[in-house]
Amino acid sequence: MTASVVLDEVELFYGDLRATQQLTFDARAGELLSIVGASGCGKSSALRAIGGLLEPRHGKVVVNGRAVEGPRPSEVAFLFQHLALYPWRSAVRNVEIALEFAGVPRGERRPRALAALRTVGMDEFALHHPAELSGGMRQRVALARALASDAGILLFDEPFAALDEYSRMQLGIEVLRVLEAEQKTVVFVTHSLSEAVYLSDRIVAMTPRPGAVAEIIEVALPHPRHPDMMRSPEFHALTDRLTELLFADRTSERA
Amino acid sequence: MSTAARTATPLARRILASPSMVYIYVVLAILTIWVVLSSLGSVPPVLLPTLGETLQQLAAIVSDPETLFANVGATAAEVTLAFAFAAVAGVALGVVVGSRTDYSRAYEPLLANLNAIPIVLLYPLLLGAMGSGGEAKVVIGAISAGLPIAIATHWAVRGVDRDLVVAARSMGARRLSTVRSVTLPAVLPGVFSGLRTGLSLAIVTVVAGEFLSATVGLGLQLARAGESFQTAALFAWLIVTAVFTAVMIGLLSVIQTLVIRKVNA
């Protein structure tokens, strides 16, 4: 399978603070790749580097065969942790803004935005403002915005972190269905080990800052995923392995 | 859901909680207290005229539109000029100081401390230097109004959610479209709340300046009526001033609605 995203010995810095060291992994076309690790290990920074928002000091980031030099919205779309919905814009206009920035002609924006909202089941709420929507509904609008640009690669930065366990699993499985239907490649940063195992094809476990790859784990669970799988021995073996990796030598430290 | 909840409340409570009805209650309450106090006779008429006398004086003012418009026009011109200077300079200053963390840390305390000084104290100085024409009032009005506008704008700019700007960049927005579609709509409510405060202060400061020294204006009429114990005339001019203030603030609200609609379209 071809790689959509390649990170090759990437070193990211914030001023003098080293976020990652020699971070190397790839995301294959059409897969859902999770990145897990302690807070501050550089997993969100890695996403920003893929999206062209953070330039590596060393190493290189390649997306669809071309080195990343800045945001490429037609190929890569973000779903941010705090969603970054514009509070003064209705749901449909929040989706339209991505099309506006991408240079889509005015007349085409509304139908495309509505189609994206339909994909996530939010077309009924097109004219609602973010403050009028529940947390899960806002997630869907943000997802619709990420889908609207037709980018093949989606970067998820803990988008479900604010949801309760039940909604997060429920929404996660729905999102997975949409992404599979649209054949998207997803790089998914999460704090939740069970969420990572439940949704991913592969999982990159990172070491604490400066982050490097501790191990890349294949998730052999069949698709489509189902909540019952969370009770299977394979599921537990994988979460155990991740726990072992992430908490191996820092059991006394808070994550 | 909110509409359903509203229609479910009893009629009485709906009337009580209606924003436009509130004004009617407040005015009725003030008038009632006024009439009761003046008819009890416990307050001397020189302090509190009757409603009837005041309305007579008001009718006299309105029946002489030339004098009325000369005074309202003079005050309106001074307030408008002071506010216009304050709005342009205050917003520009607020944007510059708010645009960078180090500027903000250095200059925001200065603005806040200047704003705490009652600028009207400078009137004797400026009236001496500039005379009793409109100039001194415009200068003091502009300074008094400009500081809160600058401070409000500064906080509005500081308060722009960085995530929204980063998101715009990730979606391919260039600098100019980020300012147009993200920064501007995000700061407008804060800027307009500063403008409202600024406009009120400009009115207060200009009218107070006219108290002290003027050849024409609402403040001069208030001072004249007060100094000659024509309390009914004083109350009538107070009503004129209140209506004038309401119209100015109302105009600003209309501008705010139009601008926000235009920017968010």
Side-chain angles (χ1 to χ4, degrees), chain B residues 77-212:
Chain B
E78 288 160 9
V79 166
T80 307
L81 213 54
F83 178 70
F85 282 133
V88 172
V91 169
L93 190 62
V95 167
V96 171
V97 175
S99 62
R100 290 177 53 106
T101 314
D102 49 351
Y103 291 174
S104 168
R105 212 175 306 150
Y107 293 102
E108 195 280 330
L110 176 69
L111 291 175
N113 287 326
L114 280 178
N115 190 41
I117 300 171
I119 310 287
V120 280
L121 295 180
L122 294 177
Y123 260 129
L125 192 70
L126 278 183
L127 287 171
M130 304 177 94
S132 44
E135 293 86 349
K137 286 127 203 154
V138 171
V139 170
I140 304 265
I143 299 173
S144 302
L147 286 166
I149 294 172
I151 292 167
T153 305
H154 160 271
W155 286 117
V157 172
R158 297 301 306 155
V160 174
D161 187 348
R162 285 290 308 157
D163 287 354
L164 298 183
V165 176
V166 172
R169 198 152 78 83
S170 80
M171 290 186 273
R174 292 180 187 282
R175 210 185 148 81
L176 200 65
S177 38
T178 305
V179 169
R180 166 71 184 74
S181 298
V182 181
T183 318
L184 194 58
V187 300
L188 275 183
V191 171
F192 268 102
S193 104
L195 289 174
R196 294 167 82 88
T197 312
L199 179 56
S200 303
L201 275 170
I203 295 171
V204 168
T205 317
V206 164
V207 171
E210 289 170 349
F211 269 12
L212 298 173

Side-chain angles (χ1 to χ4, degrees), chain A residues 141-232:
Chain A
V141 174
L143 178 64
R145 183 169 71 183
L147 292 172
S149 58
D150 274 343
I153 299 165
L154 300 181
L155 307 177
F156 286 13
D157 191 1
E158 298 192 52
F160 308 139
L163 297 181
D164 60 89
E165 186 76 7
Y166 175 78
S167 313
R168 148 197 295 238
M169 289 300 167
Q170 183 81 14
L171 190 58
I173 207 74
E174 261 185 70
V175 166
L176 204 58
R177 219 170 280 148
V178 170
L179 298 173
E180 274 172 5
E182 309 225 340
Q183 308 238 309
K184 302 287 189 190
T185 306
V186 183
V187 184
F188 186 22
V189 164
T190 177
H191 263 113
S192 162
L193 303 185
S194 54
E195 184 175 68
V197 174
Y198 186 50
L199 300 177
S200 313
D201 297 300
R202 289 189 305 151
I203 302 168
V204 177
M206 283 177 69
T207 63
R209 190 178 64 227
V213 173
E215 193 170 320
I216 297 177
I217 297 173
E218 296 267 351
V219 180
L221 298 170
H223 288 281
R225 300 285 162 84
H226 188 275
D228 278 348
M229 291 175 189
M230 294 179 74
R231 305 212 306 258
S232 69

